[in-house]
Amino acid sequence: MTVEDTRPLHAPRAAAAGGPGLFVTFEGGDGAGKTTQASLLEQWVRSGGRDVVRTREPGGTEVGVRIRDIVLHHRGHINARAEALLYAADRAHHVETVVQPAIARGDVVIQDRYLDSSVAYQGAGRVLDADDVRALSLWATDGLLPDLTVLLDLDPTAARARLDADDKPFDRLEAEKNEFHARVRDGFLALARREPERFLVLDATEAPEVLAARVRDAVTARLR
Ligand code: TYD
């Protein structure tokens, strides 16, 4: 099955599952500007007096930092299913110990990457079954979906130029070829088409302040 066939098996349940908080995730290819946008949103939400938990996957917990080191920096082959399981393990621990408690307290969780990254990178990118990858993450997280997912869409060639300008250490996923990143991009866009209420798709070539305003509008519409 392809990403296109992935059906939303579980309705969003962040509110029902955890209480009064809000769960916002940023997705997109490497170099799309997720971190910049997450930071701008964090500043804005804090300035409104709301508590924010800013976190990321992989690596949002102490256990996750160790898993992150394996998936991003292991030099040599990692079996594709093992890679998917490592991301899912990171996610399971992170949701139980960080994300769900924050939602239950009423905080706004702003997170770089979540399960859509697994469906796009391990599903579309590594060509595992997208439904299997999604089901694995939903099992790992007891079905938790974000209230809002911002997809920063960027052509992989433009993304590569941005990454090359940075001086960052070797990352196994970033080092993949352009075709891989093109599949990842298509995977993300297919996911957004399936769940238009959850996703806000933005053109990452727009100015950061323009993008930030669109994100703020979408968050305002969902704030509880
Ligand atoms: P990220 O933290 O965004 O990298 P950086 O800090 O270098 O910008 O993401 C790390 C990499 O992990 C990225 O290439 C995407 C990949 N990834 C997956 O393949 N599957 C997943 O489920 C997640 C969360 C990330």
Side-chain angles (χ1 to χ4, degrees), residues 176-217:
E176 284 291 338
K177 292 197 260 319
N178 258 15
E179 304 90 80
F180 175 90
H181 291 286
R183 286 199 302 277
V184 169
R185 181 195 195 189
D186 290 346
F188 275 128
L189 290 171
L191 283 167
R193 281 195 296 276
R194 292 209 74 95
E195 290 182 77
E197 305 87 41
R198 172 158 75 88
F199 275 88
L200 171 69
V201 183
L202 297 176
D203 173 355
T205 62
E206 294 212 63
E209 257 319 313
V210 173
L211 296 171
R214 300 276 314 274
V215 174
R216 286 198 293 271
D217 287 348

mmCIF file of all heavy atoms in Angstrom, residues 176-217:
data_model
loop_
_atom_site.group_PDB
_atom_site.id
_atom_site.type_symbol
_atom_site.label_atom_id
_atom_site.label_comp_id
_atom_site.label_asym_id
_atom_site.label_seq_id
_atom_site.Cartn_x
_atom_site.Cartn_y
_atom_site.Cartn_z
ATOM 1 N N GLU A 176 20.696 11.040 2.575
ATOM 2 C CA GLU A 176 20.044 10.278 1.499
ATOM 3 C C GLU A 176 19.972 11.095 0.207
ATOM 4 O O GLU A 176 20.010 12.319 0.221
ATOM 5 C CB GLU A 176 18.629 9.884 1.929
ATOM 6 C CG GLU A 176 18.577 8.737 2.919
ATOM 7 C CD GLU A 176 18.985 7.402 2.297
ATOM 8 O OE1 GLU A 176 18.911 7.269 1.059
ATOM 9 O OE2 GLU A 176 19.388 6.519 3.069
ATOM 10 N N LYS A 177 19.799 10.364 -0.900
ATOM 11 C CA LYS A 177 19.794 11.018 -2.223
ATOM 12 C C LYS A 177 18.530 11.834 -2.455
ATOM 13 O O LYS A 177 17.545 11.699 -1.733
ATOM 14 C CB LYS A 177 19.892 9.942 -3.308
ATOM 15 C CG LYS A 177 21.223 9.221 -3.332
ATOM 16 C CD LYS A 177 21.403 8.503 -4.644
ATOM 17 C CE LYS A 177 21.105 7.010 -4.624
ATOM 18 N NZ LYS A 177 21.552 6.240 -3.493
ATOM 19 N N ASN A 178 18.549 12.644 -3.513
ATOM 20 C CA ASN A 178 17.410 13.513 -3.830
ATOM 21 C C ASN A 178 16.108 12.758 -4.065
ATOM 22 O O ASN A 178 15.049 13.233 -3.693
ATOM 23 C CB ASN A 178 17.735 14.373 -5.059
ATOM 24 C CG ASN A 178 18.102 15.777 -4.619
ATOM 25 O OD1 ASN A 178 18.379 16.014 -3.441
ATOM 26 N ND2 ASN A 178 18.081 16.719 -5.557
ATOM 27 N N GLU A 179 16.191 11.556 -4.706
ATOM 28 C CA GLU A 179 14.960 10.794 -4.968
ATOM 29 C C GLU A 179 14.274 10.416 -3.661
ATOM 30 O O GLU A 179 13.054 10.415 -3.562
ATOM 31 C CB GLU A 179 15.226 9.502 -5.759
ATOM 32 C CG GLU A 179 15.939 9.671 -7.083
ATOM 33 C CD GLU A 179 17.437 9.594 -6.929
ATOM 34 O OE1 GLU A 179 17.969 8.484 -6.841
ATOM 35 O OE2 GLU A 179 18.082 10.662 -6.890
ATOM 36 N N PHE A 180 15.085 10.063 -2.670
ATOM 37 C CA PHE A 180 14.540 9.737 -1.353
ATOM 38 C C PHE A 180 13.766 10.933 -0.818
ATOM 39 O O PHE A 180 12.610 10.826 -0.385
ATOM 40 C CB PHE A 180 15.688 9.354 -0.410
ATOM 41 C CG PHE A 180 15.283 9.094 1.027
ATOM 42 C CD1 PHE A 180 14.924 7.824 1.445
ATOM 43 C CD2 PHE A 180 15.281 10.128 1.959
ATOM 44 C CE1 PHE A 180 14.558 7.587 2.776
ATOM 45 C CE2 PHE A 180 14.921 9.904 3.286
ATOM 46 C CZ PHE A 180 14.561 8.623 3.690
ATOM 47 N N HIS A 181 14.386 12.115 -0.871
ATOM 48 C CA HIS A 181 13.746 13.306 -0.312
ATOM 49 C C HIS A 181 12.527 13.739 -1.135
ATOM 50 O O HIS A 181 11.581 14.297 -0.578
ATOM 51 C CB HIS A 181 14.773 14.429 -0.161
ATOM 52 C CG HIS A 181 15.769 14.115 0.913
ATOM 53 N ND1 HIS A 181 15.451 14.172 2.246
ATOM 54 C CD2 HIS A 181 17.049 13.672 0.856
ATOM 55 C CE1 HIS A 181 16.499 13.804 2.968
ATOM 56 N NE2 HIS A 181 17.490 13.487 2.137
ATOM 57 N N ALA A 182 12.541 13.444 -2.434
ATOM 58 C CA ALA A 182 11.356 13.737 -3.255
ATOM 59 C C ALA A 182 10.196 12.836 -2.827
ATOM 60 O O ALA A 182 9.044 13.276 -2.739
ATOM 61 C CB ALA A 182 11.682 13.540 -4.735
ATOM 62 N N ARG A 183 10.480 11.561 -2.535
ATOM 63 C CA ARG A 183 9.417 10.653 -2.064
ATOM 64 C C ARG A 183 8.885 11.107 -0.712
ATOM 65 O O ARG A 183 7.695 11.050 -0.438
ATOM 66 C CB ARG A 183 9.957 9.209 -1.951
ATOM 67 C CG ARG A 183 10.167 8.500 -3.253
ATOM 68 C CD ARG A 183 10.231 6.985 -3.070
ATOM 69 N NE ARG A 183 11.281 6.540 -2.157
ATOM 70 C CZ ARG A 183 12.557 6.365 -2.503
ATOM 71 N NH1 ARG A 183 12.943 6.592 -3.739
ATOM 72 N NH2 ARG A 183 13.441 5.954 -1.609
ATOM 73 N N VAL A 184 9.804 11.562 0.148
ATOM 74 C CA VAL A 184 9.393 12.042 1.476
ATOM 75 C C VAL A 184 8.440 13.232 1.321
ATOM 76 O O VAL A 184 7.382 13.301 1.952
ATOM 77 C CB VAL A 184 10.623 12.430 2.322
ATOM 78 C CG1 VAL A 184 10.208 13.179 3.587
ATOM 79 C CG2 VAL A 184 11.434 11.185 2.678
ATOM 80 N N ARG A 185 8.818 14.155 0.437
ATOM 81 C CA ARG A 185 7.970 15.340 0.226
ATOM 82 C C ARG A 185 6.580 14.916 -0.265
ATOM 83 O O ARG A 185 5.555 15.385 0.254
ATOM 84 C CB ARG A 185 8.628 16.256 -0.819
ATOM 85 C CG ARG A 185 7.814 17.490 -1.056
ATOM 86 C CD ARG A 185 8.239 18.217 -2.301
ATOM 87 N NE ARG A 185 7.703 19.560 -2.339
ATOM 88 C CZ ARG A 185 7.778 20.355 -3.384
ATOM 89 N NH1 ARG A 185 8.407 19.949 -4.471
ATOM 90 N NH2 ARG A 185 7.251 21.544 -3.345
ATOM 91 N N ASP A 186 6.539 14.031 -1.267
ATOM 92 C CA ASP A 186 5.238 13.568 -1.784
ATOM 93 C C ASP A 186 4.452 12.851 -0.693
ATOM 94 O O ASP A 186 3.231 12.959 -0.628
ATOM 95 C CB ASP A 186 5.446 12.618 -2.972
ATOM 96 C CG ASP A 186 5.975 13.363 -4.196
ATOM 97 O OD1 ASP A 186 5.922 14.610 -4.197
ATOM 98 O OD2 ASP A 186 6.457 12.694 -5.127
ATOM 99 N N GLY A 187 5.175 12.112 0.150
ATOM 100 C CA GLY A 187 4.518 11.405 1.257
ATOM 101 C C GLY A 187 3.835 12.372 2.204
ATOM 102 O O GLY A 187 2.680 12.177 2.600
ATOM 103 N N PHE A 188 4.534 13.438 2.565
ATOM 104 C CA PHE A 188 3.938 14.454 3.452
ATOM 105 C C PHE A 188 2.703 15.082 2.807
ATOM 106 O O PHE A 188 1.666 15.267 3.457
ATOM 107 C CB PHE A 188 4.951 15.564 3.757
ATOM 108 C CG PHE A 188 5.885 15.266 4.904
ATOM 109 C CD1 PHE A 188 7.263 15.388 4.743
ATOM 110 C CD2 PHE A 188 5.387 14.922 6.156
ATOM 111 C CE1 PHE A 188 8.130 15.138 5.800
ATOM 112 C CE2 PHE A 188 6.251 14.683 7.228
ATOM 113 C CZ PHE A 188 7.626 14.792 7.039
ATOM 114 N N LEU A 189 2.818 15.442 1.517
ATOM 115 C CA LEU A 189 1.691 16.112 0.850
ATOM 116 C C LEU A 189 0.484 15.177 0.756
ATOM 117 O O LEU A 189 -0.665 15.621 0.915
ATOM 118 C CB LEU A 189 2.123 16.601 -0.538
ATOM 119 C CG LEU A 189 3.113 17.778 -0.510
ATOM 120 C CD1 LEU A 189 3.664 18.057 -1.906
ATOM 121 C CD2 LEU A 189 2.452 19.041 0.064
ATOM 122 N N ALA A 190 0.749 13.883 0.550
ATOM 123 C CA ALA A 190 -0.354 12.916 0.499
ATOM 124 C C ALA A 190 -1.034 12.821 1.865
ATOM 125 O O ALA A 190 -2.267 12.751 1.953
ATOM 126 C CB ALA A 190 0.171 11.544 0.059
ATOM 127 N N LEU A 191 -0.251 12.831 2.928
ATOM 128 C CA LEU A 191 -0.837 12.790 4.272
ATOM 129 C C LEU A 191 -1.712 14.017 4.513
ATOM 130 O O LEU A 191 -2.806 13.919 5.079
ATOM 131 C CB LEU A 191 0.276 12.738 5.335
ATOM 132 C CG LEU A 191 0.944 11.384 5.504
ATOM 133 C CD1 LEU A 191 2.215 11.519 6.337
ATOM 134 C CD2 LEU A 191 -0.021 10.402 6.175
ATOM 135 N N ALA A 192 -1.226 15.178 4.086
ATOM 136 C CA ALA A 192 -1.983 16.420 4.295
ATOM 137 C C ALA A 192 -3.303 16.389 3.521
ATOM 138 O O ALA A 192 -4.318 16.891 4.008
ATOM 139 C CB ALA A 192 -1.141 17.622 3.861
ATOM 140 N N ARG A 193 -3.291 15.785 2.337
ATOM 141 C CA ARG A 193 -4.540 15.692 1.561
ATOM 142 C C ARG A 193 -5.559 14.797 2.260
ATOM 143 O O ARG A 193 -6.752 15.014 2.172
ATOM 144 C CB ARG A 193 -4.254 15.148 0.151
ATOM 145 C CG ARG A 193 -3.699 16.198 -0.789
ATOM 146 C CD ARG A 193 -3.775 15.728 -2.242
ATOM 147 N NE ARG A 193 -2.942 14.560 -2.503
ATOM 148 C CZ ARG A 193 -1.643 14.611 -2.792
ATOM 149 N NH1 ARG A 193 -1.022 15.768 -2.861
ATOM 150 N NH2 ARG A 193 -0.973 13.499 -3.024
ATOM 151 N N ARG A 194 -5.073 13.782 2.970
ATOM 152 C CA ARG A 194 -5.995 12.868 3.645
ATOM 153 C C ARG A 194 -6.623 13.477 4.883
ATOM 154 O O ARG A 194 -7.688 13.067 5.307
ATOM 155 C CB ARG A 194 -5.263 11.589 4.053
ATOM 156 C CG ARG A 194 -4.841 10.736 2.911
ATOM 157 C CD ARG A 194 -4.792 9.291 3.341
ATOM 158 N NE ARG A 194 -6.132 8.753 3.480
ATOM 159 C CZ ARG A 194 -6.763 8.077 2.516
ATOM 160 N NH1 ARG A 194 -6.173 7.860 1.374
ATOM 161 N NH2 ARG A 194 -7.964 7.611 2.718
ATOM 162 N N GLU A 195 -5.906 14.414 5.537
ATOM 163 C CA GLU A 195 -6.426 15.003 6.771
ATOM 164 C C GLU A 195 -6.351 16.533 6.704
ATOM 165 O O GLU A 195 -5.583 17.151 7.438
ATOM 166 C CB GLU A 195 -5.622 14.505 7.978
ATOM 167 C CG GLU A 195 -5.847 13.053 8.305
ATOM 168 C CD GLU A 195 -5.056 12.642 9.527
ATOM 169 O OE1 GLU A 195 -5.472 12.968 10.656
ATOM 170 O OE2 GLU A 195 -3.994 12.030 9.354
ATOM 171 N N PRO A 196 -7.163 17.126 5.831
ATOM 172 C CA PRO A 196 -7.067 18.574 5.631
ATOM 173 C C PRO A 196 -7.391 19.396 6.879
ATOM 174 O O PRO A 196 -6.907 20.518 7.017
ATOM 175 C CB PRO A 196 -8.079 18.847 4.506
ATOM 176 C CG PRO A 196 -8.933 17.640 4.411
ATOM 177 C CD PRO A 196 -8.163 16.486 4.948
ATOM 178 N N GLU A 197 -8.202 18.883 7.803
ATOM 179 C CA GLU A 197 -8.533 19.676 9.006
ATOM 180 C C GLU A 197 -7.346 19.738 9.958
ATOM 181 O O GLU A 197 -7.164 20.705 10.677
ATOM 182 C CB GLU A 197 -9.726 19.098 9.784
ATOM 183 C CG GLU A 197 -10.993 18.911 8.982
ATOM 184 C CD GLU A 197 -11.005 17.562 8.283
ATOM 185 O OE1 GLU A 197 -10.580 16.565 8.902
ATOM 186 O OE2 GLU A 197 -11.410 17.505 7.103
ATOM 187 N N ARG A 198 -6.571 18.657 10.000
ATOM 188 C CA ARG A 198 -5.419 18.654 10.918
ATOM 189 C C ARG A 198 -4.241 19.431 10.337
ATOM 190 O O ARG A 198 -3.484 20.050 11.074
ATOM 191 C CB ARG A 198 -5.000 17.215 11.243
ATOM 192 C CG ARG A 198 -3.695 17.146 12.029
ATOM 193 C CD ARG A 198 -3.554 15.859 12.783
ATOM 194 N NE ARG A 198 -3.233 14.703 11.980
ATOM 195 C CZ ARG A 198 -1.999 14.303 11.660
ATOM 196 N NH1 ARG A 198 -0.949 14.987 12.073
ATOM 197 N NH2 ARG A 198 -1.801 13.208 10.934
ATOM 198 N N PHE A 199 -4.066 19.389 9.018
ATOM 199 C CA PHE A 199 -2.856 19.952 8.401
ATOM 200 C C PHE A 199 -3.036 21.390 7.933
ATOM 201 O O PHE A 199 -4.062 21.750 7.356
ATOM 202 C CB PHE A 199 -2.459 19.130 7.172
ATOM 203 C CG PHE A 199 -1.616 17.918 7.498
ATOM 204 C CD1 PHE A 199 -2.213 16.705 7.818
ATOM 205 C CD2 PHE A 199 -0.233 18.002 7.484
ATOM 206 C CE1 PHE A 199 -1.439 15.593 8.112
ATOM 207 C CE2 PHE A 199 0.544 16.891 7.772
ATOM 208 C CZ PHE A 199 -0.055 15.683 8.089
ATOM 209 N N LEU A 200 -2.002 22.200 8.153
ATOM 210 C CA LEU A 200 -1.857 23.498 7.496
ATOM 211 C C LEU A 200 -0.612 23.370 6.616
ATOM 212 O O LEU A 200 0.490 23.182 7.140
ATOM 213 C CB LEU A 200 -1.660 24.599 8.541
ATOM 214 C CG LEU A 200 -1.286 25.982 7.988
ATOM 215 C CD1 LEU A 200 -2.461 26.595 7.219
ATOM 216 C CD2 LEU A 200 -0.864 26.921 9.133
ATOM 217 N N VAL A 201 -0.800 23.427 5.309
ATOM 218 C CA VAL A 201 0.339 23.272 4.388
ATOM 219 C C VAL A 201 0.811 24.659 3.958
ATOM 220 O O VAL A 201 0.026 25.457 3.451
ATOM 221 C CB VAL A 201 -0.051 22.439 3.144
ATOM 222 C CG1 VAL A 201 1.159 22.243 2.240
ATOM 223 C CG2 VAL A 201 -0.622 21.087 3.557
ATOM 224 N N LEU A 202 2.096 24.929 4.179
ATOM 225 C CA LEU A 202 2.653 26.248 3.856
ATOM 226 C C LEU A 202 3.819 26.105 2.886
ATOM 227 O O LEU A 202 4.569 25.123 2.945
ATOM 228 C CB LEU A 202 3.143 26.934 5.137
ATOM 229 C CG LEU A 202 2.068 27.235 6.191
ATOM 230 C CD1 LEU A 202 2.721 27.825 7.441
ATOM 231 C CD2 LEU A 202 1.017 28.190 5.649
ATOM 232 N N ASP A 203 3.971 27.098 2.040
ATOM 233 C CA ASP A 203 5.085 27.155 1.103
ATOM 234 C C ASP A 203 6.300 27.714 1.849
ATOM 235 O O ASP A 203 6.333 28.900 2.192
ATOM 236 C CB ASP A 203 4.671 28.066 -0.064
ATOM 237 C CG ASP A 203 5.817 28.341 -1.023
ATOM 238 O OD1 ASP A 203 6.967 27.905 -0.744
ATOM 239 O OD2 ASP A 203 5.566 29.008 -2.039
ATOM 240 N N ALA A 204 7.274 26.842 2.105
ATOM 241 C CA ALA A 204 8.407 27.216 2.966
ATOM 242 C C ALA A 204 9.320 28.274 2.350
ATOM 243 O O ALA A 204 10.219 28.781 3.028
ATOM 244 C CB ALA A 204 9.222 25.971 3.325
ATOM 245 N N THR A 205 9.090 28.633 1.065
ATOM 246 C CA THR A 205 9.933 29.681 0.473
ATOM 247 C C THR A 205 9.422 31.080 0.851
ATOM 248 O O THR A 205 10.082 32.075 0.573
ATOM 249 C CB THR A 205 9.989 29.583 -1.071
ATOM 250 O OG1 THR A 205 8.668 29.768 -1.596
ATOM 251 C CG2 THR A 205 10.530 28.233 -1.512
ATOM 252 N N GLU A 206 8.248 31.148 1.468
ATOM 253 C CA GLU A 206 7.738 32.472 1.873
ATOM 254 C C GLU A 206 8.541 33.006 3.052
ATOM 255 O O GLU A 206 9.231 32.252 3.759
ATOM 256 C CB GLU A 206 6.266 32.350 2.251
ATOM 257 C CG GLU A 206 5.395 31.995 1.056
ATOM 258 C CD GLU A 206 4.012 32.609 1.177
ATOM 259 O OE1 GLU A 206 3.931 33.844 1.186
ATOM 260 O OE2 GLU A 206 3.055 31.838 1.280
ATOM 261 N N ALA A 207 8.427 34.307 3.284
ATOM 262 C CA ALA A 207 9.208 34.939 4.358
ATOM 263 C C ALA A 207 8.779 34.382 5.718
ATOM 264 O O ALA A 207 7.592 34.120 5.939
ATOM 265 C CB ALA A 207 8.977 36.447 4.326
ATOM 266 N N PRO A 208 9.746 34.196 6.628
ATOM 267 C CA PRO A 208 9.434 33.615 7.934
ATOM 268 C C PRO A 208 8.287 34.327 8.667
ATOM 269 O O PRO A 208 7.428 33.664 9.257
ATOM 270 C CB PRO A 208 10.747 33.769 8.709
ATOM 271 C CG PRO A 208 11.802 33.763 7.657
ATOM 272 C CD PRO A 208 11.195 34.403 6.451
ATOM 273 N N GLU A 209 8.218 35.663 8.587
ATOM 274 C CA GLU A 209 7.162 36.384 9.298
ATOM 275 C C GLU A 209 5.779 36.132 8.692
ATOM 276 O O GLU A 209 4.780 36.085 9.412
ATOM 277 C CB GLU A 209 7.466 37.886 9.337
ATOM 278 C CG GLU A 209 7.993 38.378 10.671
ATOM 279 C CD GLU A 209 7.271 37.763 11.889
ATOM 280 O OE1 GLU A 209 6.029 37.721 11.891
ATOM 281 O OE2 GLU A 209 7.955 37.314 12.825
ATOM 282 N N VAL A 210 5.757 35.960 7.368
ATOM 283 C CA VAL A 210 4.488 35.649 6.685
ATOM 284 C C VAL A 210 4.000 34.268 7.134
ATOM 285 O O VAL A 210 2.828 34.070 7.474
ATOM 286 C CB VAL A 210 4.684 35.686 5.148
ATOM 287 C CG1 VAL A 210 3.444 35.205 4.419
ATOM 288 C CG2 VAL A 210 5.077 37.097 4.703
ATOM 289 N N LEU A 211 4.931 33.316 7.157
ATOM 290 C CA LEU A 211 4.586 31.963 7.586
ATOM 291 C C LEU A 211 4.117 31.967 9.041
ATOM 292 O O LEU A 211 3.122 31.325 9.393
ATOM 293 C CB LEU A 211 5.804 31.030 7.434
ATOM 294 C CG LEU A 211 6.289 30.820 5.998
ATOM 295 C CD1 LEU A 211 7.609 30.062 5.984
ATOM 296 C CD2 LEU A 211 5.248 30.060 5.180
ATOM 297 N N ALA A 212 4.836 32.716 9.876
ATOM 298 C CA ALA A 212 4.503 32.749 11.306
ATOM 299 C C ALA A 212 3.089 33.278 11.531
ATOM 300 O O ALA A 212 2.358 32.772 12.397
ATOM 301 C CB ALA A 212 5.522 33.601 12.061
ATOM 302 N N ALA A 213 2.683 34.255 10.735
ATOM 303 C CA ALA A 213 1.330 34.804 10.878
ATOM 304 C C ALA A 213 0.274 33.758 10.522
ATOM 305 O O ALA A 213 -0.757 33.633 11.185
ATOM 306 C CB ALA A 213 1.178 36.047 10.004
ATOM 307 N N ARG A 214 0.552 32.979 9.484
ATOM 308 C CA ARG A 214 -0.404 31.916 9.098
ATOM 309 C C ARG A 214 -0.504 30.869 10.199
ATOM 310 O O ARG A 214 -1.582 30.360 10.496
ATOM 311 C CB ARG A 214 0.053 31.238 7.789
ATOM 312 C CG ARG A 214 0.160 32.140 6.580
ATOM 313 C CD ARG A 214 -1.170 32.330 5.852
ATOM 314 N NE ARG A 214 -1.918 31.086 5.625
ATOM 315 C CZ ARG A 214 -1.746 30.266 4.594
ATOM 316 N NH1 ARG A 214 -0.832 30.533 3.682
ATOM 317 N NH2 ARG A 214 -2.490 29.181 4.458
ATOM 318 N N VAL A 215 0.634 30.548 10.801
ATOM 319 C CA VAL A 215 0.637 29.561 11.888
ATOM 320 C C VAL A 215 -0.160 30.102 13.081
ATOM 321 O O VAL A 215 -0.987 29.393 13.670
ATOM 322 C CB VAL A 215 2.087 29.212 12.310
ATOM 323 C CG1 VAL A 215 2.091 28.304 13.537
ATOM 324 C CG2 VAL A 215 2.838 28.549 11.155
ATOM 325 N N ARG A 216 0.067 31.371 13.410
ATOM 326 C CA ARG A 216 -0.652 31.966 14.557
ATOM 327 C C ARG A 216 -2.158 31.921 14.341
ATOM 328 O O ARG A 216 -2.911 31.616 15.256
ATOM 329 C CB ARG A 216 -0.207 33.419 14.758
ATOM 330 C CG ARG A 216 1.169 33.555 15.349
ATOM 331 C CD ARG A 216 1.387 34.936 15.926
ATOM 332 N NE ARG A 216 1.426 35.988 14.932
ATOM 333 C CZ ARG A 216 2.542 36.399 14.305
ATOM 334 N NH1 ARG A 216 3.709 35.835 14.593
ATOM 335 N NH2 ARG A 216 2.504 37.356 13.413
ATOM 336 N N ASP A 217 -2.606 32.209 13.120
ATOM 337 C CA ASP A 217 -4.045 32.171 12.827
ATOM 338 C C ASP A 217 -4.605 30.762 13.060
ATOM 339 O O ASP A 217 -5.679 30.602 13.639
ATOM 340 C CB ASP A 217 -4.315 32.565 11.363
ATOM 341 C CG ASP A 217 -4.118 34.067 11.152
ATOM 342 O OD1 ASP A 217 -4.015 34.798 12.160
ATOM 343 O OD2 ASP A 217 -4.052 34.487 9.976
#
